[in-house]
Structures are given as structure tokens and as C-alpha cells.
Amino acid sequence: MKNRRLFKENVYMKEATAKITGISEKDGKTLVTLDQTIFFPTGGGQSCDVGKLGGYDVVDVFEADDDIFHEVCTTQVLDGDREQNSLQIGDEIEISIDWAHRFDNMQRHCGEHIMSGIFFELYGGVNRGFHMGEDYMTIDISLEEKPEFNKITWEMAKEVELRTNMVIWQNLPVITRHFDKREEAENLPLRKALAFDEDITIVCVGSVDNPADCVACCGTHPATVGQVGMVKIYKVESNKGMFRIYFEAGERAFRQYQERFDVLTILENKLSAGFSDLMDKYEAQQEKVKESKNQLYHLKKAVIKKEAEEIKNNMRPAFAKKYDILSINDILDIGKELQGSIDTIAFLVHSPSNTVLLFSDKHDCGKLVKENASIYGGKGGGGKQSARAIFTKEEYVDTFMDLIEKHLR
């Protein structure tokens, strides 16, 4: 390695001094290398640390060519003046990480370790994918080690969640061990075979004699699992022959719990219910809504049929009528009822949206809209028996209908 990785020696180190060993520009970005760093680079499903380097913002950290590169914003506005890059190779500078961001990653990553270990212990589930997103984390569990399990049910996930939190409540130690060669690391009770031969870091939760989890990982973790706080599973779904688990850990899980409990409390108040009868009250309300929708459907059908009969009895060339309450779909249904009884053309207008619905048994409604609506800035289309034209102003509605009436005389 070209630099000393202080985050491997002490994950709680928030500040340090370092010497600049290199400064380069790539794709418009300023990249700085140091003789030692406390910044964890992106890797193992975990985002990198952010913070300050020589007074400048560190916005990205990544590993390449056995070195760690820090992307810094070297042009900043200070006291209203724009300050240019003042970093030089050989400078000894102060570096610091955003601790809240680091600890968030530590809680989440360690929570994932424990839960993956429990899935493996209970159901032989192997973690084949891990993602730390902004709103939640996911792991992809492949059921490989215990043939009696071929599916992860919600009840199984809840058992894993409980067992994971039970481990957290024990506040077991999290011990990180570094090995130069595979042979040294393979003596530990790993839940997953090693994928590389050198520079191996093993994270073990609890005693090596009976660990809650033991696996190779390059991420950052707290000293004890009690600092994880809690883990909450949100959803389980099938994904490419595996099972994707959506979950959260640490302060994020707690804050999301608060938000969801607040919503639950609001619903309880709105339905005049307690937690024990909330679902009963909700189901009762849904039945009322269903009944109301059914009544409304039949009322609309009756209104549409009656309205169509009245129009038929009063039908005349270029018949026009405007509606304020009925929806466009209701008006379309009226038009369907009129088919076979429109000698020339009928205009049924949805006034709130300045939409003219054209119906005819004789003329091509779609063609009439296409050739004439644009004259008044309208747009629309349709078929031969029915079409629609939409206008930006109410006055254009009457002008358009008048134009079509004169055109068909």
C-alpha cells in the first residue's frame, strides 16, 4: 500500500494530520493522495467518507493503483471572495471526516452483517448482494445451504429481524482482524468463502467460538453491536432466483420508525380508533366506500340513460349542450347512448376543461377536429363516430362549434 490507512487502526479517529504525496487533475476533478488517511474509500457496498482536507471539502474518496484518492473542491468562496487551490505536494495538512456520516455507515453496515449471519444460521441463506441506498438497504439472499428451505416468507423474515435485534441487545464486541494471507484467515468460522488471497480483513461479531457473524469485509464497524441500535425489515420479494430483503439499521431505522408511527397515530385519530381496532375501523370504512361507489355507479348510469333519452327527444341539427358536473367519461357514455340517432352532429361540452366532444352517425368527427380545431389553438383527435377538441379559452368553444355547424350546412 502506498499510504497508511488509519481507519483500519482506529475507526473512531475523526481528525489527523497528513502529508500530501500527490495532486492531479482528471476529468475536471482535483485528486489528492496522502501519506496516511482517515478517509474510508467507497467499497464493499459502503459509501466513502466525506469531510475536510486542508480546509477544502472532500466529496469523494476511492481506491486505485493501491492508493487512496481524495476528490476535493479546490475552488471555494470564502467571505465573498473566490479562493483558488493552495494545496502543494509536501504540505502537511489537517484532515477530518464528517463523523455523522461515518457513524451512519458503521451502524448500517454492521446491522447488515448481523442480519446476514442470522439468515445463514437459521435458513442457510447466503448473502449474494448488498446495497446501501439513501432510503433503505437491501441484501439478496440465496437459499443454498439448507435444502429444506426454498422460500423466505414474511414470518421467516420477522424471526430473523427479532434474532438480529436480540444480538444487538447483547452488545457483543465487534472485532476486526487483518491477515496478510488466506491461510491465516481461513482458521476463523467464516460464513462465506474467501474471494481473495492477500490483505484480508475479517469482521467477527461476538466470540470466534460462537459468532453471530464472521465474514471478510473492508468496511467500517462500531466496536460493539449495541451501537447499531436497531434493525427493521420492511419488505421481502423474489429477485432473480433469490430473495431481496429491504431493511434499515441504526438511527435511520429509528427515525423511519418515528415517521411511520406518526402516520399510524394520525390514522387512528382520523378513524377514532386505537391500535387494537384500527384495521377493523379501516375495513369498515372501506366497505362504506365500496358501497358508496356502487351507489354512485348505478346513479350515474341512470342519469346518463335519462340524459340520452332527453337529448334524443330534443335532437336537432348541430345539437349542443354543456355540462359542469359530469366527467368527460360520463359525457362519452352519453354519446355512446346517442349512436344511431344523430342525424348531423351533436356537441357535448365539458365546461371545466373547455373540451368539445363531437358525435355523429354521418360525418367524420376526427377529420372535423383535425382540420378545424387548430384554427382556434385547439388540439385533439378521435375516430369517425366520436372525437374531442380541447381549447385554452371558453370563447373558442362556441366559435369552434359555430364554425363546424356552418361547415356542415
Side-chain angles (χ1 to χ4, degrees):
M1 294 182 183
K2 296 180 181 179
N3 59 4
R4 183 180 175 189
R5 287 136 196 248
L6 298 173
F7 56 84
K8 284 190 172 184
E9 301 173 20
N10 182 1
V11 75
Y12 292 92
M13 187 178 293
K14 305 177 184 69
E15 299 174 345
T17 58
K19 184 178 291 185
I20 296 177
T21 58
I23 300 176
S24 59
E25 296 288 333
K26 185 177 181 181
D27 300 326
K29 301 173 182 177
T30 301
L31 306 177
V32 178
T33 56
L34 306 169
D35 66 335
Q36 61 179 13
T37 184
I38 56 176
F39 285 87
F40 173 80
T42 299
Q46 179 176 318
S47 65
C48 67
D49 286 321
V50 293
K52 294 284 187 180
L53 185 156
Y56 296 101
D57 291 332
V58 177
V59 296
D60 190 21
V61 184
F62 62 92
E63 186 173 7
D65 300 325
D66 207 28
D67 207 343
I68 292 180
F69 292 81
H70 309 73
E71 181 188 338
V72 297
C73 295
T74 54
T75 301
Q76 301 184 34
V77 177
L78 302 173
D79 298 326
D81 297 322
R82 186 169 292 277
E83 180 182 295
Q84 297 299 320
N85 175 20
S86 61
L87 300 175
Q88 300 291 329
I89 294 177
D91 285 353
E92 191 166 279
I93 57 172
E94 297 292 327
I95 57 176
S96 62
I97 60 170
D98 180 333
W99 175 249
H101 178 76
R102 160 72 71 82
F103 190 65
D104 176 49
N105 275 342
M106 288 164 60
Q107 287 185 309
R108 300 177 87 198
H109 205 153
C110 190
E112 175 269 323
H113 272 283
I114 303 167
M115 194 169 73
S116 294
I118 300 297
F119 266 114
F120 183 76
E121 176 189 350
L122 294 183
Y123 310 120
V126 179
N127 182 344
R128 294 299 183 189
F130 171 46
H131 175 68
M132 294 175 71
E134 186 60 34
D135 298 320
Y136 51 77
M137 294 186 286
T138 61
I139 54 174
D140 291 326
I141 299 295
S142 175
L143 295 174
E144 302 174 12
E145 301 297 322
K146 295 186 178 182
E148 63 267 33
F149 298 108
N150 57 20
K151 181 181 180 181
I152 295 178
T153 66
W154 181 241
E155 289 304 317
M156 291 166 66
K158 285 170 66 176
E159 180 63 22
V160 170
E161 178 184 82
L162 174 60
R163 291 280 294 273
T164 300
N165 282 292
M166 288 174 68
V167 170
I168 293 171
W169 301 335
Q170 295 177 58
N171 198 28
L172 299 174
V174 180
I175 301 173
T176 301
R177 298 175 174 87
H178 304 289
F179 300 93
D180 294 327
K181 297 187 179 299
R182 171 191 287 266
E183 292 76 16
E184 301 170 355
E186 285 182 328
N187 292 324
L188 294 173
L190 303 173
R191 68 167 160 86
K192 203 172 187 180
L194 295 175
F196 36 87
D197 297 320
E198 298 178 346
D199 188 25
I200 301 166
T201 300
I202 304 296
V203 176
C204 188
V205 177
S207 167
V208 293
D209 298 326
N210 185 29
D213 189 45
C214 188
V215 72
C217 180
C218 65
T220 56
H221 308 83
T224 60
V225 293
Q227 295 176 58
V228 173
M230 64 181 291
V231 166
K232 185 73 187 78
I233 295 177
Y234 300 132
K235 184 172 65 171
V236 178
E237 67 180 17
S238 298
N239 181 61
K240 299 178 181 178
M242 297 182 287
F243 295 89
R244 177 159 291 178
I245 315 298
Y246 294 77
F247 70 106
E248 196 50 271
E251 183 179 344
R252 288 186 186 234
F254 177 73
R255 290 192 179 280
Q256 289 182 10
Y257 161 78
Q258 285 184 315
E259 291 171 1
R260 284 159 174 73
F261 195 86
D262 286 345
V263 172
L264 190 63
T265 301
I266 291 171
L267 289 175
E268 289 173 355
N269 292 335
K270 284 183 176 294
L271 295 174
S272 299
F275 177 76
S276 60
D277 64 342
L278 178 60
M279 286 306 299
D280 291 337
K281 291 284 184 74
Y282 171 76
E283 292 295 343
Q285 186 183 70
Q286 289 300 103
E287 282 299 317
K288 290 181 180 179
V289 170
K290 183 179 178 181
E291 184 180 341
S292 295
K293 285 184 175 179
N294 188 48
Q295 290 177 344
L296 179 60
Y297 171 78
H298 288 291
L299 284 171
K300 277 192 173 185
K301 293 290 283 186
V303 169
I304 288 167
K305 191 171 185 63
K306 182 178 179 181
E307 183 67 14
E309 289 300 321
E310 289 187 6
I311 292 174
K312 288 178 183 179
N313 293 333
N314 294 281
M315 185 63 72
R316 58 184 182 277
F319 177 89
K321 188 170 183 179
K322 297 183 178 180
Y323 298 92
D324 294 315
I325 298 177
L326 295 180
S327 69
I328 289 179
N329 286 335
D330 295 333
I331 300 171
L332 285 170
D333 287 340
I334 293 172
K336 291 176 184 177
E337 293 284 334
L338 298 177
Q339 288 180 357
S341 61
I342 308 172
D343 196 23
T344 54
I345 196 164
F347 303 106
L348 304 183
V349 181
H350 182 252
S351 295
S353 62
N354 296 323
T355 299
V356 181
L357 298 168
L358 294 76
F359 302 93
S360 179
D361 299 323
K362 181 178 179 182
H363 302 286
D364 189 330
C365 296
K367 184 178 180 182
L368 290 172
V369 169
K370 183 178 180 180
E371 293 178 349
N372 298 282
S374 60
I375 298 173
Y376 305 104
K379 58 182 181 179
K384 187 172 182 179
Q385 290 187 308
S386 67
R388 71 180 68 186
I390 307 168
F391 300 95
T392 57
K393 294 182 180 180
E394 183 181 358
E395 60 194 75
Y396 296 152
V397 169
D398 294 323
T399 308
F400 171 75
M401 291 191 296
D402 185 61
L403 174 67
I404 299 298
E405 180 185 8
K406 291 176 180 176
H407 178 72
L408 297 178
R409 283 178 185 173

